[in-house]
Amino acid sequence: MDFVPAPSGGTPVKVPVVEVEAVDVAEPVNAESIAVEVVSSEYETDSDDSDGLDTLSQSETTIQLIRDEQLRDGLVPGACSLEEAVAFRKRLHAVGKAAFVEETLVRETVTAKKLCTAFGIMPPAFLEGEPDESYGPLLAIALSREFSRRPKLPEYNTVDDAVRLLRESKNIIVLTGAGISTSLGIPDFRSKDTGLYSKLEHLGLSDPQEVFDIHVFREDPSIFFSIAKDILPTEKKYSPTHGFIKLLQDKGKLLTNYTQNIDNIEANAGVLPEKIVQCHGSFATATCVKCKHRVSGDAIFDEIKEGKIPECSLCRQSIEADALKPQGLKRKRSSNGDHKDRKNFEDSSDEEDYEIPTPGVMKPDITFFGEDLPDEFGHRLVHHDRELADLVIVIGTSLKVAPVAEVPGILPRKIPQIYISRTPVSHTGFDIDLLGDCDVVVSELCRRAGWNLDHHMIPVNEKVDVTPVEGYESRHVFQVNGA
Ligand SMILES: [Zn+2]
């Protein structure tokens, strides 16, 4: 499972980008003083109806984005067809913004209003009836958005291309999300019905995300621990997709697996710790909120399973040692009864810690909202992987959440990118989309590559049908024959 921390800070990988569209628009968007801010679903989901909420908000007005499927199906009156849109996008990337505007708007071959639709922006109702120039600022945004996007590499389209890339690549980056663990019965946090959040209503929180809010945790850790037992990785099982990542490692092809998941299941499959970056932390270790004493996650699992709040053994020892000291040396709680400022909780000096003689709570090292992401992510990506990677495979995530969402943009654009998930994403262009249950997709890819992906969840005589998606030469749907 994965979830969304809300990081803060300055470096590219720590920007609180919770929405990839914001990255796209981060380029010079201040076209003629239109301030565009992107709003979208706050958290990612791997469920089937993910992309539904994409909008741009322009001060009071909300501008709708158009999906490629809507263009393909002719659902937007006056809009480009999907073929026209794709041609305009290719042309923009080929000639640049200035030349593109010259040969379209200046020569009046197409209206600005219609061009907006080619780049996925719905002409807003408030501009209806206005002269075509009124659409200029909006079009400028649309062009910048498209231009900052990685264009699809035209030479990779088919399943055979994907198989060949797998066989020939030597340094593969695999990005994973909740979708690779759902076949194990681990709930996808954010999907509306099956997700964990729906189970949290009885806790009476104003927002279920508060369970993973560091401030709420410091105030009342029992809220988190009341559900932690449900998300704790217990059995040593793993999915065929985890097995696939291990297989890439065995073949010497796995550069790094960046995972948004906190379940640490990669380890069960045998993926080496040095090959994994857990972008949102994991249950593998836990740290005392007071003294920072760190233990293996296993050490507190029993207490979590029993519904207890695990306490720091080191803190407890020092409190007990302190209790044996002569009374006169013991610090007393201040007489005015003031509580310490919660904000300074962690910064408080050792002396102050004696004011309230309770051991610190052991917090699993998953990244909560309001906490910084592990530094390892950006460092490894920029200083190590960026130079080496020759293929990116994204599996089981709609790739809308930082920092993983930023990976395809940070890598050189010539590196091929393959997407494996149930539903395609429109906000970032992959070279090949392999759609379906990711366990089924990877097992079929291995079959075609002549690789032995042995896993008890893959039926021995499994037959998989692969069908192209109409209107897309690089999208293919994988389905088990007879399923
Ligand atoms: Zn402690």
Side-chain angles (χ1 to χ4, degrees):
M1 102 205 51
D2 57 358
F3 71 116
V4 195
S8 59
T11 62
V13 290
K14 284 191 174 182
V15 174
V17 180
V18 181
E19 170 49 54
V20 150
E21 300 288 352
V23 179
D24 291 340
V25 205
E27 287 270 306
V29 234
N30 48 345
E32 309 196 10
S33 80
I34 282 200
V36 168
E37 184 197 341
V38 175
V39 291
S40 185
S41 52
E42 280 197 340
Y43 30 87
E44 175 189 9
T45 168
D46 195 50
S47 60
D48 285 351
D49 57 348
S50 51
D51 261 350
L53 291 170
D54 292 350
T55 53
L56 300 169
S57 82
Q58 183 192 341
S59 48
E60 299 293 298
T61 320
T62 298
I63 294 164
Q64 253 188 298
L65 300 181
I66 307 171
R67 285 197 265 170
D68 281 357
E69 290 77 9
Q70 294 170 284
L71 294 178
R72 181 193 63 193
D73 300 338
L75 299 177
V76 185
C80 293
S81 68
L82 182 57
E83 292 71 31
E84 286 175 313
V86 169
F88 278 130
R89 291 171 202 171
K90 276 186 183 159
R91 189 67 191 158
L92 171 66
H93 286 287
V95 301
K97 277 185 264 191
F100 181 81
V101 170
E102 166 68 29
E103 61 184 47
T104 52
L105 292 190
V106 177
R107 289 188 206 158
E108 297 187 348
T109 58
V110 59
T111 62
K113 182 182 179 184
K114 187 173 177 183
L115 262 189
C116 284
T117 67
F119 300 105
I121 291 193
M122 185 80 84
F126 71 91
L127 285 178
E128 197 54 50
E130 298 290 322
D132 199 49
E133 300 90 85
S134 314
Y135 293 88
L138 199 57
L139 180 62
I141 292 161
L143 294 183
S144 288
R145 223 174 127 245
E146 175 63 30
F147 204 66
S148 64
R149 187 173 295 189
R150 171 188 180 272
K152 176 184 157 17
L153 301 173
E155 63 268 43
Y156 305 111
N157 297 294
T158 66
V159 178
D160 286 346
D161 291 337
V163 171
R164 186 166 43 81
L165 283 168
L166 274 181
R167 293 176 61 102
E168 292 175 359
S169 300
K170 295 183 173 68
N171 289 297
I172 303 175
I173 289 180
V174 182
L175 306 180
T176 47
I180 73 164
S181 293
T182 44
S183 67
L184 300 173
I186 293 171
D188 176 356
F189 259 64
R190 281 168 240 130
S191 56
K192 290 184 196 84
D193 302 319
T194 60
L196 192 65
Y197 283 150
S198 62
K199 294 184 185 171
L200 300 177
E201 285 168 2
H202 68 277
L203 289 174
L205 300 172
S206 59
D207 179 347
Q209 290 192 29
E210 288 177 7
V211 169
F212 299 101
D213 184 305
I214 190 62
H215 306 293
V216 171
F217 183 87
R218 287 174 188 152
E219 200 66 41
D220 183 3
S222 70
I223 294 174
F224 169 77
F225 285 109
S226 70
I227 62 101
K229 59 180 180 297
D230 295 326
I231 59 175
L232 198 62
T234 46
E235 297 168 62
K236 294 289 180 195
K237 57 186 178 181
Y238 61 91
S239 74
T241 305
H242 294 98
F244 170 70
I245 298 166
K246 166 69 160 52
L247 187 63
L248 293 178
Q249 174 181 286
D250 292 345
K251 293 187 177 294
K253 293 171 178 285
L254 180 64
L255 183 59
T256 305
N257 176 197
Y258 292 91
T259 181
Q260 301 178 82
N261 300 345
I262 56 176
D263 51 31
N264 200 31
I265 287 174
E266 298 82 8
N268 296 350
V271 182
L272 296 168
E274 58 265 34
K275 292 285 181 188
I276 306 172
V277 175
Q278 287 163 321
C279 301
H280 298 166
S282 86
F283 279 98
T285 54
T287 302
C288 170
V289 296
K290 274 189 185 171
C291 75
K292 303 297 171 199
H293 176 52
R294 176 172 282 193
V295 300
S296 153
D298 297 347
I300 61 166
F301 280 4
D302 284 344
E303 282 174 281
I304 293 180
K305 278 183 233 161
E306 289 165 21
K308 292 179 185 161
I309 299 176
E311 289 179 340
C312 173
S313 56
L314 207 63
C315 281
R316 199 180 299 127
Q317 280 171 22
S318 73
I319 289 167
E320 283 165 9
D322 194 48
L324 296 175
K325 287 179 187 170
Q327 203 58 354
L329 292 178
K330 260 177 99 176
R331 288 187 143 258
K332 296 242 168 69
R333 195 170 174 166
S334 57
S335 54
N336 61 14
D338 276 350
H339 277 283
K340 280 187 295 177
D341 184 352
R342 284 282 168 181
K343 268 190 189 163
N344 296 327
F345 191 83
E346 290 186 359
D347 302 330
S348 57
S349 69
D350 290 344
E351 286 190 349
E352 281 174 325
D353 278 344
Y354 286 97
E355 279 186 10
I356 306 168
T358 53
V361 171
M362 298 303 293
K363 176 187 161 297
D365 291 330
I366 55 179
T367 312
F368 277 46
F369 295 100
E371 287 189 300
D372 280 341
L373 293 159
D375 284 339
E376 192 193 353
F377 169 78
H379 192 267
R380 172 149 178 157
L381 182 64
V382 174
H383 297 289
H384 182 257
D385 291 1
R386 195 178 186 284
E387 293 304 312
L388 294 172
D390 52 10
L391 177 63
V392 176
I393 308 176
V394 177
I395 316 177
T397 165
S398 51
L399 212 64
K400 284 193 160 189
V401 183
V404 163
E406 297 169 29
V407 173
I410 290 169
L411 296 171
R413 291 183 167 192
K414 64 176 194 320
I415 301 175
Q417 302 190 356
I418 297 174
Y419 185 64
I420 301 173
S421 192
R422 284 202 200 93
T423 35
V425 289
S426 55
H427 59 76
T428 178
F430 292 99
D431 300 310
I432 309 174
D433 295 313
L434 307 176
L435 308 179
D437 181 328
C438 55
D439 291 341
V440 171
V441 175
V442 298
S443 65
E444 180 63 12
L445 288 177
C446 288
R447 225 169 268 131
R448 294 186 183 211
W451 295 352
N452 182 25
L453 178 60
D454 192 25
H455 193 286
H456 68 92
M457 286 165 67
I458 305 173
V460 181
N461 295 315
E462 185 179 72
K463 294 272 186 295
V464 175
D465 295 327
V466 181
T467 47
V469 178
E470 193 197 332
Y472 302 89
E473 58 177 340
S474 61
R475 276 189 190 170
H476 314 276
V477 174
F478 288 58
Q479 203 164 22
V480 173
N481 187 297

